[in-house]
């Protein structure tokens, strides 16, 4: 179903309360119970009296309990709503399988679906569970260890151009999966890219950064991967990053230097790293780097 101009506005600006009020009127004409839900939730944002707030919340809860199952039934089979706004799915989750790309394409036709979570399918999860441990992903020479085998083929068939958040956390796709994702059709609209615990190394990070498909990313979650200093240097292609999580990657002093030299260094609002990730020499580099904002330099001086 093609989005109306008002629906497209709300996809782009989901916090526009006036637009939601106008959309409530549209839904009322269609006898859609979400019209009443929007009305109640908008009133709740304006109400200051405790008694009225409790009454409104109670009615919201009853209305949601009555209709949410039928509202979620608008999603394709195999697609789960994991976040909602006024009863509409805004983030959906899909377990990876040969059918996943088609299911995702259909799910993204939802009126306000702009966030996607891709989870490992059964075969991939079983293989990962068999090999997974809390041990480091690096050997005694600080070189990345091989990942367990799994299926992550088909990423190149994805078209994620219509979403703002792509979440693959804990799906151990490794460099092959990252390369497939780099080849996926996309209009570069993703602002949040969550790749925590994905087993991606420097080659995969370089492929994602160089693809141009994720040039709009502001928040990059790369915790506990297999990144080295070389991989951090490749991240420079993500020129618009404001929040960066690189914890539990052994990037060393070379990685710290690469961060300092990155084009986004001066725009960083949040940088998550541990002392052991960058080494003592890396801490000193970050603490004295004029390219970093003052608050970040101060943080590293206190480490």
């Amino acid at each position: 179903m093609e989005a109306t101009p008002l629906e497209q506005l709300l996809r782009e600006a989901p916090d526009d309360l006036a637009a939601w009020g106008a959309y409530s009127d549209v839904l009322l004409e269609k006898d859609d119970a979400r019209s009443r839900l929007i009305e109640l939730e908008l009133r709740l944002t304006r109400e200051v009296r405790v008694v009225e707030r409790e009454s409104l919340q109670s009615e919201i809860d009853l209305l949601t309990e009555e209709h949410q199952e039928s509202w979620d039934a608008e999603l394709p089979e195999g697609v789960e709503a994991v976040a909602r706004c006024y009863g509409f799915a805004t983030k959906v989750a899909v377990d990876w399988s040969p059918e996943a790309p088609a299911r995702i394409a259909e799910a993204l036709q939802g009126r306000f679906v702009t966030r996607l979570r891709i989870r490992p399918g059964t075969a991939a999860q079983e293989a990962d569970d068999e090999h997974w441990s809390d041990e480091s992903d690096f050997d005694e020479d600080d070189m990345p260890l091989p990942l367990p085998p799994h299926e992550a083929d088909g990423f190149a068939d994805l078209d994620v151009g219509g979403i703002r958040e792509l979440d693959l956390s804990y799906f151990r796709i490794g460099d092959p999966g990252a390369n497939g994702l780099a080849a996926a059709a996309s209009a570069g609209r993703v602002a949040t890219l969550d790749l925590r615990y994905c087993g991606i190394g420097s080659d995969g990070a370089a492929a994602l950064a160089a693809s141009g498909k994720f040039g709009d990313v502001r928040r990059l979650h790369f915790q506990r991967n297999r990144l080295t200093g070389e991989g951090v240097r490749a991240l420079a292609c993500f020129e618009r990053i404001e929040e960066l999580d690189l914890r539990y990657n052994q990037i060393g002093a070379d990685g710290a230097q690469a961060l300092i030299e990155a084009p986004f260094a001066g725009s960083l609002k949040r940088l998550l790293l541990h002392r052991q990730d960058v080494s003592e020499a890396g801490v000193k580099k970050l603490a004295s780097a004029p390219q970093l904002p003052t608050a970040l330099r101060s943080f590293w001086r206190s480490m």
Side-chain angles (χ1 to χ4, degrees), residues 10 17 19-25 27 32-46 60 63 71 85-88 112:
L10 288 170
L17 300 185
W20 279 112
Y23 195 58
S24 175
D25 294 337
L27 296 175
D32 189 320
R34 283 169 291 200
S35 171
R36 177 61 176 166
L37 182 61
I38 294 172
E39 177 189 347
L40 291 170
E41 293 206 22
L42 290 180
R43 284 173 55 191
L44 187 62
T45 64
R46 299 188 295 266
I60 288 170
L63 188 63
W71 293 336
C85 180
Y86 301 118
F88 292 100
F112 304 113

Side-chain angles (χ1 to χ4, degrees), residues 190-212:
V190 176
T192 300
L193 184 58
D194 192 338
L195 299 173
R196 291 171 294 153
Y197 289 74
C198 284
I200 298 173
S202 295
D203 289 345
L208 288 169
S211 71

Side-chain angles (χ1 to χ4, degrees), residues 57-121:
Q57 188 61 60
S58 177
E59 188 172 352
I60 288 170
D61 292 342
L62 288 173
L63 188 63
T64 302
E65 182 180 356
E66 179 182 357
H67 294 282
Q68 193 64 68
E69 184 176 350
S70 63
W71 293 336
D72 287 350
E74 297 174 357
L75 294 170
E77 181 182 358
V79 178
E80 176 189 353
V82 293
R84 305 174 182 86
C85 180
Y86 301 118
F88 292 100
T90 56
K91 181 175 182 178
V92 298
V94 178
D95 292 337
W96 189 251
S97 70
E99 296 78 27
R103 288 174 175 169
I104 289 169
E106 187 177 355
L108 293 180
Q109 298 302 310
R111 277 176 274 193
F112 304 113
V113 176
T114 57
R115 301 155 64 199
L116 173 64
R117 168 90 166 98
I118 302 178
R119 301 181 296 212

Side-chain angles (χ1 to χ4, degrees), residues 68-248:
Q68 193 64 68
E69 184 176 350
S70 63
W71 293 336
D72 287 350
E74 297 174 357
L75 294 170
E77 181 182 358
V79 178
E80 176 189 353
V82 293
R84 305 174 182 86
C85 180
Y86 301 118
F88 292 100
T90 56
K91 181 175 182 178
V92 298
V94 178
D95 292 337
W96 189 251
S97 70
E99 296 78 27
R103 288 174 175 169
I104 289 169
E106 187 177 355
L108 293 180
Q109 298 302 310
R111 277 176 274 193
F112 304 113
V113 176
T114 57
R115 301 155 64 199
L116 173 64
R117 168 90 166 98
I118 302 178
R119 301 181 296 212
T122 302
Q125 190 62 61
E126 288 177 352
D128 203 34
D129 289 344
E130 183 178 347
H131 292 78
W132 177 259
S133 74
D134 291 329
E135 300 298 322
S136 172
D137 283 338
F138 295 81
D139 63 19
E140 60 186 11
D141 296 319
D142 288 341
M143 297 301 293
L145 294 167
L147 287 172
H150 61 78
E151 303 229 348
D153 297 331
F155 277 7
D157 297 328
L158 291 173
D159 185 347
V160 296
I163 69 170
R164 298 295 287 162
E165 176 187 319
L166 179 59
D167 179 357
L168 286 97
S169 56
Y170 297 89
F171 187 176
R172 307 271 283 177
I173 63 174
D175 285 350
N179 277 278
L181 190 61
S186 172
R189 298 285 292 162
V190 176
T192 300
L193 184 58
D194 192 338
L195 299 173
R196 291 171 294 153
Y197 289 74
C198 284
I200 298 173
S202 295
D203 289 345
L208 288 169
S211 71
K213 304 293 177 63
F214 301 99
D216 205 34
V217 168
R218 268 95 163 164
R219 293 167 293 279
L220 179 60
H221 304 291
F222 219 85
Q223 179 183 348
R224 187 64 185 270
N225 277 277
R226 299 142 59 82
L227 211 58
T228 63
E230 178 186 356
V232 177
R233 202 164 297 279
L235 296 182
C237 293
F238 290 105
E239 296 183 354
R240 308 183 73 178
I241 291 178
E242 298 176 355
E243 299 180 15
L244 180 59
D245 185 352
L246 294 177
R247 289 173 294 174
Y248 306 109

